[in-house]
Amino acid sequence: MCGLCGYVGRPELIPPPEAGRAMNALLVHRGPDGDGELEIAATGGQPLAGWLGHRRLRIIDLSEDAHQPMQSDDGNSALVYNGEVYNFRELRRELEGRGARFRSSGDTEVILRAYEEWGEEFVSRIDGMFALAIWDAREGRLLLARDRTGKKPLYYAADQERIVFASEIKSILAAPWIKPALAEERLGEFLTFGYAPSPRTLYRDVRQLPPGSTISFDADGIHGPAEYWDPLPAEQDLKPTAEVRRNVVELLGQATRRRLISDVPLGAFLSGGIDSSIVVGLMSRASSEPVRTFSIGFPEEPSFDERRYASLVADHFGTRHTEFAVEADALALMDTLLWHHDQPYADSSAIPTYMVSKLARDHVTVALNGDGGDEVFGGYDRFRAARIAEAIPAAAGTALRPLTGILPSHTGYYSVRRRAQRFLERSRHSPEQRYQSWIAVFNEDLLGELMPAVANGAVTSSMDDSYRRAGRLPVLDRILYANFKTYLPDDLAVKMDRMSMANSLETRSPFLDTALIEYVARIPAAQKVGLHRVKPLLRRSFWPLLPKEIWNRRKHGFGVPMGRWFRTDLRQVFEDEVLGSGSLTARYLDQDLMRRLWTQHQAGEVEHGFRFWTVLTLERWLRESGSPRGAPPSVPVLAAG
């Protein structure tokens, strides 16, 4: 796991290497074990010049033979790369059979040799998590590529004369010709989803390479993006039979074993949920030594503390378990998270992800996780709600909504009133529109009040595009596909990459293995999304593996007590910065609505904590977006083992 950056363009527009080194220095957290650089000269009729930079986190092949940028034997190709290719050993054997000779033992050289052998088609042969850049001097072309599910980030800014790229936006903003400009027209998307949907960002000229895609840049300018993979199945021809369940077990077992290759200490995040517990169980089967596992909890808020379940799983598999009771400085963490995300990002589960990554890094350099289990096996409660909603007449939903006010109200994870209110929102609309309301921070109605000038179609275009692309499938399948194409790369993958790499920790996700994704996609969503219990296919496939208590526990996300925080720790700062006279978000958001929501929340009438976190994140980003981007803010994580 590493960081990369660089630029290519007409020689008279290319700055000296010092500019690239400044970009590279901002990625030191992604690769603290060393750096490298390569100047690209315009020679031999090749009209472009440039610079490539790399920060290294040593994981496989710790020697200098794996140093980057890595050049081909003839010097005509050069690679900078971030990630892990899990089939590199198979590819190496195939390439050796074709005459290739290797000087290193890791996966970096395999990628370079694969490009030399197969050209741009090589990207469809490598399987793993990656973002990479290859300079081909013969062709006078820069190629950028990103993995299938978007686990590794790659941003760029380009015109017809030059391109700059990097693992993180902050590095691009350090390029001397880039002038940061807020894309105000995309604020509605952020306030809807809590993130900026790719390929756009909240910087007008900075874009993200879509997952499963490549772009190239040459003397004629930029070409692409060109997609090389999509999870949409050609046909859904499988049913969850005993044979299919056996295949699921074998595929996930293979995916886990492939992710255990490492020359540095390795462990796993363990929440005590089904997905992370299965991964730990499969790791234990494949490992000759006890697996290192890590979990955290918030003792002051029992409904957000999962350590009891994590300990149960750890005892069951005999892992070397470390758990932390944590106390968060929410405001200090927000500033740290903003520095690493580079733009507003409102998923508050980034807080515990940052914490467990920081604490685990004291013990291991690589950690496996359960990310992707809900995407692949349809495990979110909102998928189950979508299936149920299809069976409830619209009139019944409308009649029931006023009754939610008599339900119990509390700020814990399992707030019955909050869940009922969100389920019955927009009950007369289409399933896709209802789903959009459930996942929205500010739904269409609230956003219309908050930002009256925003057109709803503009903010939901990323979801609408996915719905159209999967139009031949049933409604529930379209919803799962849209979630995979949007929430997975733009929220889940962003959170895990930034929060782990903030602590120089590599994380790997067996559930996001290509073969497993493609196989399970052939099963209709209605046979994966349970009504009584989530993920019935996964449960039946792995039933003997886990303790019964883990199978019987309720679905639980990786969250923080946000509602309580805005009544206590974060109350004053929100009132001062967002509702006060110096508010920067007041330029864009209706303050009367914000004050009304604030009053409702403080009175315990409606839970708005997740909305306030989103707005406060935007406010603090606007305040800091013009400040220098040096070292990230230092934040203590208070923990008792």
Side-chain angles (χ1 to χ4, degrees), residues 341 345 347 349-350 353 491-500:
H341 283 116
Y345 173 86
D347 187 339
S349 64
T353 304
D491 188 303
L492 193 65
V494 169
K495 172 184 66 182
M496 184 56 68
D497 174 81
R498 301 307 186 280
M499 297 299 90
S500 60

Side-chain angles (χ1 to χ4, degrees), residues 238-257 274-275 278-279 282 285 372-373 376-378 510-523 527-528 535-543 545 551:
L238 296 180
K239 295 182 179 180
T241 62
E243 180 183 3
V244 166
R245 293 195 297 271
R246 286 193 295 271
N247 290 339
V248 166
V249 172
E250 178 59 25
L251 285 169
L252 187 55
Q254 290 176 359
T256 303
R257 291 190 295 273
I274 291 173
D275 299 335
I278 287 175
V279 169
L282 293 174
R285 284 181 175 179
V376 175
F377 289 92
F511 277 100
L512 293 177
D513 184 78
T514 303
L516 179 68
I517 292 168
E518 292 177 342
Y519 186 77
V520 177
R522 293 166 58 189
I523 304 170
Q527 298 181 42
K528 292 181 289 194
K535 293 183 283 200
L537 170 61
L538 190 66
R539 288 173 178 270
R540 294 191 66 189
S541 299
F542 285 94
W543 183 260
L545 183 65
W551 292 120

Side-chain angles (χ1 to χ4, degrees), residues 73 95 101-103 109-117:
D73 294 338
L95 289 164
R101 296 294 177 265
F102 291 82
R103 59 180 179 268
E109 189 176 3
V110 172
I111 296 174
L112 186 58
R113 302 291 188 187
Y115 175 77
E116 291 181 296
E117 181 67 29

Side-chain angles (χ1 to χ4, degrees), residues 85-104:
V85 170
Y86 301 122
N87 65 335
F88 79 95
R89 289 176 170 170
E90 298 93 322
L91 287 174
R92 178 177 177 131
R93 287 193 293 269
E94 183 177 357
L95 289 164
E96 287 175 332
R98 291 170 170 264
R101 296 294 177 265
F102 291 82
R103 59 180 179 268
S104 64

Side-chain angles (χ1 to χ4, degrees), residues 1-5 27 29-31 53-57 59 68 79-86 107-108 111 126 128-133 145-147 150-155 165-168 497-498 500-501 505-507:
M1 199 69 64
C2 305
L4 59 113
C5 61
L27 302 175
H29 53 285
R30 301 188 71 92
H54 186 261
R55 294 289 327 185
R56 186 181 182 189
L57 178 62
I59 301 293
Q68 297 184 48
L79 166 71
V80 285
Y81 153 62
N82 165 32
E84 301 290 347
V85 170
Y86 301 122
D107 56 349
T108 304
I111 296 174
I126 60 176
M129 55 178 182
F130 58 86
L132 60 86
R146 193 173 176 213
D147 68 64
K151 292 187 286 291
K152 293 292 99 185
L154 191 53
Y155 296 91
F165 64 90
S167 296
E168 297 182 9
D497 174 81
R498 301 307 186 280
S500 60
M501 294 310 295
L505 178 76
E506 175 174 302
T507 51

